[in-house]
Amino acid sequence: MRYGRYVGHLHNTAGRTLTVSDRKTSIMVTIDPSTRVEYRTCPLCEATCGLEITINDGAVGRIRGDRDDVFSHGFICPKGSTLKQLEADPDRLRVPQIRNGNEWRDATWDEAFELIAERMGSIIAEHGSNAVGVYLGNPNVHNLSGLLYNRVLLRSLRTQKIFSAATVDQMPKHVSSGLMFGHPDLIPVPDIDRTDYLLMLGADPYESNGSLATAPDWPGRLEAIKARGGKVVVVDPRRSKTAANASEHLAIRPGTDPLFLAAIAATLVDENLLAAQPDHHNRLDEAAAALVSFTAERVAPATGIDAETTRRIARELSAAESGVVYGRIGTHTVRHGTVASWLVDLINAMTGNLDRAGGAMFAKAAHEQPRSKRGFATGRWSSRVRSAPEVRGELPCSVMAEEITTPGEGQMKAMIIVAGNPVVSTPNADRLDEALDELDFMVSVDMYRNETSRKADVILPATSPLQRSHYDLAFYGLSLRNIANYSPAVLPLESEMEEWEILTKLSAMFSGAGPDADIAAADDATFGTYLQRMIDDPRSTIHGRDHADITSMIGDRRGPERYVDLLLRTGPYGDAFGSNPDGLTLASLEAEPHGIDLGPLEPRLPEALSTPDGLVDLAPQAILDDLTRLELAADDVPNGGYLLVGRRQLRSNNSWMHNLDVLVRGKDRCTLLIHPDDAVSVGVGDGGRAEVSSAAGKIVVTAEVTEDMMPGVVSLPHGWGHNKDGMAIAVASGTPGVNSNILADESDLDPLSGNATLNAIPVTVAAL
Ligand SMILES: Nc1nc2c(c(=O)[nH]1)N[C@H]1C(S)=C(S)[C@@H](COP(=O)(O)OP(=O)(O)OC[C@H]3O[C@@H](n4cnc5c(=O)[nH]c(N)nc54)[C@H](O)[C@@H]3O)O[C@H]1N2
Ligand SMILES: Nc1nc2c(c(=O)[nH]1)N[C@H]1C(S)=C(S)[C@@H](COP(=O)(O)OP(=O)(O)OC[C@H]3O[C@@H](n4cnc5c(=O)[nH]c(N)nc54)[C@H](O)[C@@H]3O)O[C@H]1N2
Ligand code: SF4
Ligand SMILES: [Mo]
């Protein structure tokens, strides 16, 4: 018997004596009362790995992969175990901070809320609600509080100045999905566990562990495709680790993926390779007609991929038993991101791979709720200064700085930033950094005083991940298997406050309740309204049920747990509060600390569609209209300049985990990758200093000369540049790197989604 294997089952047994046996032996063990083992889904990236956390005397002992986790089976990356160091980081904020000039002091929660109530109250009274901007950063989507309570905060503020990391990330995918499938969250994922052929563009899951396609151990899953005789083709201007491990790597000129994809679609049409289409696929002919001019021969000079290769890939995709195209950051954070996103799903449809095993499929999350069939529209309002349209209720974060600095009606005077570091993560970072100084008041809800929160007047500390419960409301809807896993909080709160309580308090204050607002009462009221809306909804499994009855069945749960229980029980596998007695509840997940596997993805169309006509629109008009811009790009061939792209690194997590020594020690990783021929023409050697300039700004960085780069392309990771005054992140400041977003031009957007252009940025490179 291996003790290590069995410790996994000794859950909540501290202090008790147990008999543990296998077929041969039986032993008595007394569990050390000061030691316990907890299971927790890692909230750091989208892969949702299970962690096994040993707690000794109330402190984190060891963190390793949970071998019994139904999805990750023990896999973790080097970041998973660093929740231990994050917990212990002395720079992690534990009490509210108030700034007076350049001085910061600890404050009580009451003081902090009183100051916010007073200052925000007068700003809203004087300038109206649109004078308040909100930026929601990435960790919100890994946090039940953010996922369930930011909407409560936003509703109380009634501002149109809402921004998030989505417009430096995946917004193009939301738009193409909204236009094609009727709902921006109805995003198909590549069924890599069953596919025979994966064409992957602009993603590097060996470093990122996958995105908009949730699964632990992407590297293992990619290797399994090859092991079963399938093929993995990676399209990337850099020979990334993912590309190096693929069956084939195609180096593409940055920003030209939509041309390459259009040429694949055109080849499928031209060579009569279209698969038979189901009845619910609409307007394939219109899509085909709009793309025929983008022949492989025509786009080759722009993409750098020769026509014969493009045609061969189209043929291979169409011939594969099952095949799937998947595009991520490198296809989204570019000028034609929405067109590229649409082409990915269009090609999946053209080859008969949309909504079938081994193709692109839709997850069915345990908490999923019926979606409206109203369809999708953007532009319900626009930004004030440059009239950028609203998309999915928000404005592009590229307009934040100008909305602060341009005077006039509706000028932003205050900001609330929750779990975001836009001074590092968004375009023209230096301009935003300066613009934030012009605000009358700023609040950050954050774990650190870093590049962005140092500009706040008040920082409200978030809990550490281990101090809160977890269920992946965002990522089970994008999962490669249907999984449900709930983890209770591992460690108690000390001086922190639950983040959902912070957000509820702010919301109650902005609704006029004052700094003494009763959080529990406000939460009861919001939940009651939410539940009643469900009861009133004819599509809900609890339509017409008794409000008090449901409330009493939920019992004592409060905060996020109350919502999670409601969502699970009314979801597709739920107990529907008694109508389906064997169905899921939060209690049934609590009884399964390693999670529940609800099976592989299954076809869901047309039932899951949210379009008013119940059909997939393969040729949305807004996208066809945007092809005129792509026409221009087709004729834009290399002119001798350089294009800058980004990259992720296994031991980084966007901008905020560089304060953990275990993740940053070793050689400088914030380097400019450059091809040897380019290094010669620039006159910079390996380890030499290079100056990189763009329309937005200029940086100096160490060059790393490598054959991995496509000539004419240079690569810099994002999330660095921890060299600002007034921060309290000592470790990160010791290995600062440079901020690549100083070079990103905030005027360069994908017009359909408002997404920033963070890849394929024209730059000049010179030796220093
Ligand atoms: N050039 C370039 N820029 C990029 C990208 C790129 O590829 N290239 N990628 C973009 C992408 S995909 C993303 S998602 C964005 C990320 O952009 P942001 O979300 O703005 O930045 P993060 O680095 O994730 O910073 C998260 C902040 O939240 C804090 N934090 C962490 N956990 C919590 C928590 O639980 N609660 C609270 N309240 N705070 C917390 C951290 O201390 C940090 O300040 O960056 C984008 N920027
Ligand atoms: N270790 C780690 N993991 C993370 C994160 C992290 O910061 N660190 N961030 C998380 C977040 S928020 C996200 S959104 C995901 C993103 O996950 P991924 O989408 O996998 O993102 P990247 O690893 O940045 O890979 C993008 C790739 O696109 C390539 N590329 C750049 N421009 C182009 C182009 O024009 N065309 C093509 N075809 N390729 C291009 C780059 O060279 C790079 O290899 O990762 C998540 N996981
Ligand atoms: S891959 Fe992502 S979810 Fe898994 S351990 Fe690493 S950071 Fe956590
Ligand atoms: Mo992201």
Side-chain angles (χ1 to χ4, degrees):
M1 179 185 320
R2 282 165 55 227
Y3 175 75
R5 171 105 189 96
Y6 282 81
V7 79
H9 298 286
L10 304 179
H11 187 57
N12 283 341
T13 48
R16 284 199 275 151
T17 300
L18 304 169
T19 306
V20 185
S21 50
D22 65 7
R23 263 169 293 157
K24 294 200 202 90
T25 11
S26 179
I27 55 165
M28 300 278 283
V29 285
T30 302
I31 308 303
D32 180 347
S34 61
T35 295
R36 61 195 164 92
V37 176
E38 302 278 355
Y39 300 95
R40 175 67 156 87
T41 307
C42 177
L44 295 173
C45 87
E46 300 176 37
T48 69
C49 302
L51 305 177
E52 181 193 282
I53 303 170
T54 307
I55 308 286
N56 300 321
D57 288 323
V60 182
R62 179 183 63 193
I63 301 184
R64 62 177 188 178
D66 172 10
R67 281 175 285 188
D68 295 318
D69 184 277
V70 296
F71 203 12
S72 60
H73 309 290
F75 175 87
I76 54 167
C77 85
K79 289 185 297 303
S81 63
T82 66
L83 288 181
K84 176 184 160 98
Q85 285 77 12
L86 181 60
E87 188 64 41
D89 187 349
D91 286 338
R92 187 168 61 76
L93 302 176
R94 282 141 173 104
V95 294
Q97 304 290 304
I98 291 182
R99 182 168 62 85
N100 188 353
N102 293 327
E103 298 297 314
W104 286 89
R105 66 175 174 90
D106 289 357
T108 65
W109 285 98
D110 284 346
E111 265 181 292
F113 284 122
E114 274 160 30
L115 181 61
I116 295 169
E118 180 202 318
R119 300 290 303 279
M120 292 292 291
S122 59
I123 290 170
I124 295 171
E126 191 180 341
H127 303 286
S129 47
N130 277 328
V132 181
V134 179
Y135 174 88
L136 304 174
N138 169 275
N140 282 297
V141 295
H142 300 274
N143 181 339
L144 276 175
S145 289
L147 286 162
L148 292 166
Y149 286 85
N150 277 325
R151 61 186 175 89
V152 179
L153 173 69
L154 294 176
R155 202 170 309 129
S156 72
L157 280 167
R158 295 199 315 272
T159 173
Q160 295 183 334
K161 303 276 178 17
I162 300 170
F163 309 92
S164 86
T167 54
V168 278
D169 192 345
Q170 81 287 2
M171 196 58 103
K173 196 78 218 173
H174 288 303
V175 174
S176 70
S177 287
L179 295 172
M180 296 177 81
F181 309 118
H183 197 285
D185 296 337
L186 207 48
I187 294 174
V189 297
D191 183 15
I192 58 172
D193 289 348
R194 289 180 288 185
T195 200
D196 298 297
Y197 195 99
L198 171 65
L199 175 62
M200 174 156 58
L201 308 101
D204 187 9
Y206 272 76
E207 306 284 348
S208 70
N209 277 295
S211 185
L212 296 189
T214 280
D217 193 14
W218 257 82
R221 289 167 199 267
L222 292 177
E223 274 146 33
I225 298 177
K226 291 190 294 174
R228 62 179 180 262
K231 182 164 181 180
V232 178
V233 179
V234 172
V235 181
D236 197 305
R238 175 176 63 97
R239 186 166 60 221
S240 62
K241 191 160 181 207
T242 304
N245 283 286
S247 324
E248 183 173 355
H249 169 215
L250 302 176
I252 191 167
R253 188 161 153 260
T256 66
D257 299 66
L259 292 170
F260 171 69
L261 291 167
I264 289 192
T267 304
L268 293 170
V269 176
D270 179 41
E271 302 190 7
N272 284 317
L273 299 174
L274 297 182
Q277 298 290 306
D279 290 344
H280 58 265
H281 282 188
N282 199 16
R283 289 169 54 83
L284 179 63
D285 292 347
E286 285 84 344
L291 292 169
V292 282
S293 68
F294 293 96
T295 61
E297 291 70 20
R298 177 183 174 202
V299 305
T303 62
I305 298 176
D306 67 81
E308 195 39 48
T309 301
T310 305
R311 287 186 179 269
R312 171 174 57 79
I313 298 289
R315 290 175 204 135
E316 287 176 1
L317 252 180
S318 110
E321 193 67 38
S322 65
V324 65
V325 187
Y326 161 71
R328 200 44 190 108
I329 282 291
T331 58
H332 292 158
T333 55
V334 286
R335 218 154 290 141
H336 304 275
T338 304
V339 169
S341 281
W342 162 69
L343 283 163
V344 163
D345 292 323
L346 175 68
I347 294 170
N348 287 328
M350 284 178 152
T351 54
N353 285 306
L354 182 62
D355 196 36
R356 78 161 198 192
M361 304 194 80
F362 297 92
K364 191 193 246 184
H367 60 271
E368 188 182 291
Q369 296 295 314
R371 296 186 170 102
S372 99
K373 307 273 178 194
R374 277 197 305 269
F376 175 73
T378 63
R380 291 168 293 173
W381 63 85
S382 297
S383 73
R384 183 177 61 100
V385 180
R386 75 169 100 156
S387 298
E390 157 279 334
V391 176
R392 217 172 159 244
E394 53 186 277
L395 297 172
C397 51
S398 294
V399 312
M400 254 181 324
E402 70 199 28
E403 291 291 329
I404 297 170
T405 58
T406 312
E409 179 78 28
Q411 181 181 9
M412 250 156 62
K413 299 282 186 186
M415 279 201 84
I416 301 177
I417 297 184
V418 184
N421 193 5
V423 168
V424 177
S425 303
T426 69
N428 205 338
D430 279 350
R431 182 181 174 197
L432 180 66
D433 191 17
E434 285 169 24
L436 291 178
D437 288 335
E438 296 186 26
L439 291 172
D440 291 346
F441 194 65
M442 177 173 149
V443 179
S444 274
V445 185
D446 209 286
M447 289 198 280
Y448 288 108
R449 168 145 59 89
N450 61 14
E451 293 79 357
T452 300
S453 55
R454 82 193 212 281
K455 298 281 170 132
D457 295 281
V458 180
I459 308 176
L460 301 175
T463 66
S464 84
L466 296 179
Q467 288 174 304
R468 57 173 179 252
S469 61
H470 191 71
Y471 168 89
D472 253 293
L473 271 183
F475 296 107
Y476 290 143
L478 297 162
S479 185
L480 303 192
R481 282 185 79 83
N482 292 315
I483 300 287
N485 198 337
Y486 169 81
S487 338
V490 172
L491 295 171
L493 294 178
E494 289 169 20
S495 44
E496 302 87 351
M497 204 171 147
E498 294 266 21
E499 223 168 325
W500 68 268
E501 294 188 308
I502 297 175
L503 297 167
T504 303
K505 179 93 163 183
L506 292 174
S507 148
M509 278 165 33
F510 300 145
S511 304
D516 300 328
D518 179 346
I519 293 172
D523 190 38
D524 285 347
T526 320
F527 181 79
T529 311
Y530 188 86
L531 170 60
Q532 191 57 45
R533 208 169 297 138
M534 232 180 226
I535 290 172
D536 294 342
D537 184 347
R539 295 162 308 179
S540 170
T541 58
I542 54 166
H543 176 59
R545 293 279 297 272
D546 182 53
H547 190 114
D549 215 24
I550 303 283
T551 313
S552 85
M553 288 176 80
I554 291 176
D556 295 338
R557 298 189 192 278
R558 290 295 177 272
E561 274 61 34
R562 174 157 59 172
Y563 285 98
V564 172
D565 195 31
L566 176 66
L567 293 170
L568 288 171
R569 297 174 83 167
T570 52
Y573 316 85
D575 81 341
F577 290 92
S579 327
N580 176 26
D582 296 331
L584 275 187
T585 63
L586 179 51
S588 58
L589 286 195
E590 282 168 328
E592 299 288 351
H594 310 288
I596 296 179
D597 183 350
L598 299 160
L601 305 190
E602 287 173 11
R604 297 199 59 192
L605 302 190
E607 159 268 324
L609 292 171
S610 285
T611 46
D613 61 6
L615 305 174
V616 177
D617 187 356
L618 292 176
Q621 195 55 47
I623 290 180
L624 297 190
D625 292 345
D626 199 39
L627 290 178
T628 48
R629 268 190 330 122
L630 194 62
E631 286 284 346
L632 299 177
D635 307 317
D636 167 31
V637 294
N639 58 9
Y642 291 94
L643 292 174
L644 174 71
V645 298
R647 68 179 186 275
R648 275 178 172 66
Q649 300 170 312
L650 193 54
R651 290 188 298 130
S652 291
N653 198 18
N654 296 319
S655 74
W656 67 277
M657 289 186 72
H658 293 150
N659 209 51
L660 306 182
D661 179 60
V662 279
L663 291 177
V664 290
R665 72 167 72 117
K667 73 176 178 57
D668 180 15
R669 304 201 302 270
C670 185
T671 55
L672 185 79
L673 303 184
I674 183 167
H675 188 272
D677 295 348
D678 292 335
V680 169
S681 53
V682 168
V684 68
D686 192 44
R689 301 286 281 168
E691 186 179 83
V692 187
S693 344
S694 74
K698 190 190 289 185
I699 59 162
V700 174
V701 62
T702 303
E704 187 176 338
V705 179
T706 167
E707 300 264 357
D708 290 343
M709 287 314 297
M710 184 179 186
V713 183
V714 288
S715 162
L716 195 60
H718 78 285
W720 297 88
H722 313 296
N723 53 357
K724 303 278 185 190
D725 295 332
M727 304 192 299
I729 42 172
V731 175
S733 302
T735 46
V738 290
N739 183 354
S740 66
N741 280 321
I742 291 172
L743 299 170
D745 180 352
E746 82 278 27
S747 68
D748 195 356
L749 299 184
D750 168 33
L752 290 177
S753 65
N755 212 87
T757 299
L758 304 174
N759 280 294
I761 299 172
V763 291
T764 55
V765 184
L768 202 67

